[in-house]
């Protein structure tokens, strides 16, 4: 999960970062195990010119669509071809800075709608200088073939994610093993070619098809890793590189997930502390520790009596995990918590699950690609005893989602496609890149941004101090957005810090308090879990 969701676990700083602390962090050496650089990428086969057609929507009236053929196996460019679904908002200025590819993360996130959002959220003079290109990576969405490994994998009510007895552990193991076997059965011919390096090589085919000497790239979450891998393969083809909510390239992917577990637990505690601040609204108590006890009491009660026959402990975690990505969801999540725990009314909790946690049919595709990419990109432990020991050790410190996240990734313990060696994204040949990072981000903890900043020579890191959302540029923070716009105009940036946006307020009896428009729109498009 990046979640997303996905380095050895490190204790999170308990205080907000000041500019001096950020500078100190950036000056500290980052130690990582040696890793090979990606193999030199051959020039892609000549791609046919793209044929764009109108696919406008009321919100994005200039949106265009196209399809691009790429080799399934880039080492056999004349072999089987697959297709990528593309969107474009064309530049409107007299002169252009070329294409700006945008990616929402995942892996498994569809980027077609993100093009319209980014083009409309940037200042008009900046957007006018770029052809903003969205794309569904190989296997995703409207790209063909689209992966879908197992219908009903997340159908409620699932076994409790925390395996308190052997039977529960075995039930979860059977679920994830079945999913891995279904993937192999349905997509054995494709799985060896679904991974970050293959997706990065697709981007070079796309650049060629666009007729662009260089391309710019703006990626969120997992999209930061995809962008870094492309930049390592083709540094001379990069014009601008923006990475927001940055993956730790040294922990791909098992160790990154363990780091996530602790960071999400800390972020969940921040949510519960926020609830405690508003006891007059939610009546759950003024002591964060007591509010946390009530949340876990709710979880225990749902084990024997799932709410509405849909929300057991695993579904409860699915429902509250999006609050770790975006605090604009906190008021709705707090209201559902209070309704269940105080008023003994489960209906708002079921509604919150259906809004935030339930898996829509399209999510079967995104999860299938997520799993295929994560399992192919790097080696995972094959001995379940290793997983069990690591998860119980981490759960003791971070119980909120450690086991839930373990089962989300556990198909990789049974994956038949051999993993690749993780490439080293260290880059001294790249134009200056711009990185954005919230200091308390759970899905991609702050240390990962520091590590990536260290690996990309000449890059700049802009920190949202005290912020905990995942995906921060173009979400309403004026300070961050101005720095993004300036970089896209000129290519110049410097390390900086911006204050976080205020925490949300509860809804009242007469007035709902919606999330910020920019934040809500962005977080509805990003390709992370939830």
């Amino acid at each position: 999960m990046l979640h997303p969701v996905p380095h050895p676990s490190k204790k999170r700083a308990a205080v907000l970062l000041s500019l001096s602390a950020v500078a100190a962090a950036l000056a500290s050496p980052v130690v990582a195990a040696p890793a090979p650089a990606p193999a030199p990428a051959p020039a892609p086969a000549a791609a046919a010119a793209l044929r764009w057609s109108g696919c406008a929507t009321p919100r994005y009236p200039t949106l265009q669509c196209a399809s691009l053929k790429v080799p399934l196996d880039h080492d056999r460019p004349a072999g089987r071809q697959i297709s990528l679904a593309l969107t474009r908002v064309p530049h409107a200025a007299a002169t252009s800075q070329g294409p700006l590819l945008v990616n929402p993360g995942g892996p498994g996130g569809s980027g077609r709608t993100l093009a319209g959002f980014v083009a409309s959220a940037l200042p008009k003079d900046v957007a006018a200088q770029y052809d903003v290109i969205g794309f569904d990576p190989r296997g995703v969405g409207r790209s063909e073939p689209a992966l879908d490994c197992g219908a009903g994998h997340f159908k409620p009510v699932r076994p409790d994610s925390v395996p308190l007895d052997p039977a529960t552990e075995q039930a979860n193991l059977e679920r994830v093993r079945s999913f891995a076997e279904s993937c192999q059965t349905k997509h054995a011919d494709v799985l060896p070619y679904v991974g970050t390096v293959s997706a990065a090589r697709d981007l070079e085919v796309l650049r060629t098809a666009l007729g662009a000497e260089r391309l710019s790239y703006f990626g969120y979450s997992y999209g930061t890793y995809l962008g870094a891998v492309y930049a390592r393969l083709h540094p001379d083809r990069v014009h601008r590189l923006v990475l927001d909510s940055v993956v730790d390239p040294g922990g791909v992917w098992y160790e990154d997930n363990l780091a996530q577990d602790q960071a999400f637990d800390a972020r969940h505690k921040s949510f519960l502390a926020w609830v405690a601040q508003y006891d007059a609204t939610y009546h759950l108590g003024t002591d964060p520790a007591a509010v946390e006890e009530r949340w876990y009491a709710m979880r225990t009660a749902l084990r024997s009596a799932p709410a509405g026959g849909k929300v057991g402990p695993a579904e409860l975690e699915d429902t509250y995990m999006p609050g770790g990505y975006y605090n604009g969801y906190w008021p709705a999540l707090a209201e559902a918590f209070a309704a269940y725990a105080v008023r003994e009314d489960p209906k708002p909790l079921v509604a919150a699950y259906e809004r935030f946690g339930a898996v829509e049919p399209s999510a079967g595709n995104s999860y299938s690609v997520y799993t295929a990419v994560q399992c192919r990109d790097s080696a995972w432990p094959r001995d379940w005893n290793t997983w069990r020991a690591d998860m119980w050790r981490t759960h003791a410190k971070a119980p909120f989602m450690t086991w839930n996240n373990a089962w989300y990734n556990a198909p990789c313990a049974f994956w038949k496609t051999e993993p690749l060696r993780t490439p080293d994204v260290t880059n001294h040949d790249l134009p200056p890149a711009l990185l954005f990072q919230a200091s308390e981000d759970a899905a991609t903890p702050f240390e990962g941004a520091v590590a990536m900043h260290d690996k990309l020579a000449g890059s700049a890191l802009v920190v949202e101090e005290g912020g905990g959302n995942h995906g921060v540029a173009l979400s309403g923070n004026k300070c961050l957005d101005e720095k993004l716009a300036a970089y896209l105009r000129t290519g110049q940036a410097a390390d900086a810090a911006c204050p976080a946006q205020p925490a949300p307020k509860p809804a009242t009896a007469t007035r709902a308090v919606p999330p910020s428009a920019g934040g809500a729109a962005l977080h509805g498009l990003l390709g992370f879990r939830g």
Side-chain angles (χ1 to χ4, degrees), residues 52 78 103 197 207 213 346 379 498 511 525:
W52 296 98
N103 180 272
V197 172
R207 180 196 64 78
E213 182 178 350
C498 291
R511 182 173 65 90
L525 295 174

Side-chain angles (χ1 to χ4, degrees), residues 64-277:
Q64 301 172 341
C65 292
S67 179
L68 172 70
K69 295 291 186 182
V70 298
L72 174 66
D73 180 354
H74 282 282
D75 291 332
R76 294 184 174 183
R80 178 182 172 185
Q81 303 292 294
I82 61 175
S83 68
L84 308 184
L86 313 174
T87 57
R88 176 178 73 169
V89 177
H91 74 278
T95 59
S96 170
Q97 294 203 49
L100 171 62
L101 277 57
V102 295
N103 180 272
S110 168
R112 288 178 295 110
T113 304
L114 188 62
F117 171 81
V118 170
S120 62
L122 287 170
K124 289 184 179 179
D125 73 295
V126 176
Q129 299 176 41
Y130 289 92
D131 294 312
V132 183
I133 309 288
F135 61 98
D136 283 354
R138 55 175 55 205
V140 175
R142 294 189 182 178
S143 294
E144 296 178 352
L147 303 190
D148 195 348
C149 293
H153 184 68
F154 291 100
K155 182 179 179 180
V157 172
R158 307 198 306 273
D160 190 343
S161 58
V162 180
L164 298 175
D165 55 71
T168 301
E169 181 176 30
Q170 187 60 37
N172 277 302
L173 282 170
E174 289 175 1
R175 276 185 69 248
V176 299
R177 185 184 287 110
S178 176
F179 184 85
E181 291 173 351
S182 175
C183 270
Q184 186 66 32
T185 299
K186 292 184 175 183
H187 302 297
D189 58 331
V190 175
L191 293 181
Y193 310 104
V194 179
T196 300
V197 172
S198 290
R201 294 177 73 175
D202 289 343
L203 300 187
E204 181 64 2
V205 179
L206 175 54
R207 180 196 64 78
T208 303
L210 291 168
E213 182 178 350
R214 293 188 296 168
L215 60 77
S216 298
Y217 179 93
F218 180 7
Y220 291 94
S221 191
Y222 162 79
T224 66
Y225 183 62
L226 175 59
V229 171
Y230 174 79
R232 182 64 179 85
L233 290 170
H234 301 285
D236 58 325
R237 296 301 188 182
V238 175
H239 178 56
R240 306 274 189 268
L241 180 65
V242 182
L243 309 180
D244 185 321
S245 304
V246 185
V247 165
D248 185 342
V252 174
W253 290 111
Y254 184 74
E255 296 295 342
D256 275 354
N257 275 278
L258 291 174
Q260 268 192 344
D261 296 340
Q262 297 194 59
F264 265 101
D265 195 83
R267 191 63 180 157
H268 186 59
K269 285 181 169 63
S270 295
F271 161 66
L272 298 172
W274 179 87
V275 172
Q277 291 179 21

Side-chain angles (χ1 to χ4, degrees), residues 246-404:
V246 185
V247 165
D248 185 342
V252 174
W253 290 111
Y254 184 74
E255 296 295 342
D256 275 354
N257 275 278
L258 291 174
Q260 268 192 344
D261 296 340
Q262 297 194 59
F264 265 101
D265 195 83
R267 191 63 180 157
H268 186 59
K269 285 181 169 63
S270 295
F271 161 66
L272 298 172
W274 179 87
V275 172
Q277 291 179 21
Y278 295 103
D279 180 58
T281 300
Y282 302 117
H283 309 292
L284 286 161
T286 59
D287 177 12
V291 175
E292 184 174 18
E293 287 183 8
R294 296 190 74 168
W295 194 90
Y296 281 101
M298 174 172 65
R299 188 191 188 285
T300 298
L302 292 170
R303 184 182 299 131
S304 57
K310 292 183 177 181
V311 186
E315 291 75 26
L316 181 73
E317 293 160 345
D318 294 348
T319 302
Y320 281 80
M321 198 174 297
Y325 288 106
Y326 178 49
N327 64 7
Y329 301 145
W330 286 4
L333 294 172
E335 175 56 32
F337 179 14
Y340 183 92
V342 178
R343 302 193 298 273
E344 299 183 352
D345 179 3
K347 290 190 291 296
L349 184 62
V350 175
Y353 163 70
E354 291 174 344
R355 177 183 175 189
F356 298 116
V359 174
E360 297 180 357
S362 62
N365 167 247
S366 60
Y367 177 64
S368 298
V369 176
Y370 170 93
T371 308
V373 171
Q374 296 247 322
C375 299
R376 177 63 166 155
D377 268 4
S378 62
W380 294 71
R382 297 291 182 165
D383 183 350
W384 184 250
N385 290 324
T386 300
W387 289 70
R388 183 189 293 116
D390 287 343
M391 298 314 147
W392 279 121
R393 187 182 308 112
T394 306
H395 175 86
K397 297 175 285 187
F400 169 56
M401 60 153 274
T402 294
W403 272 106
N404 188 300

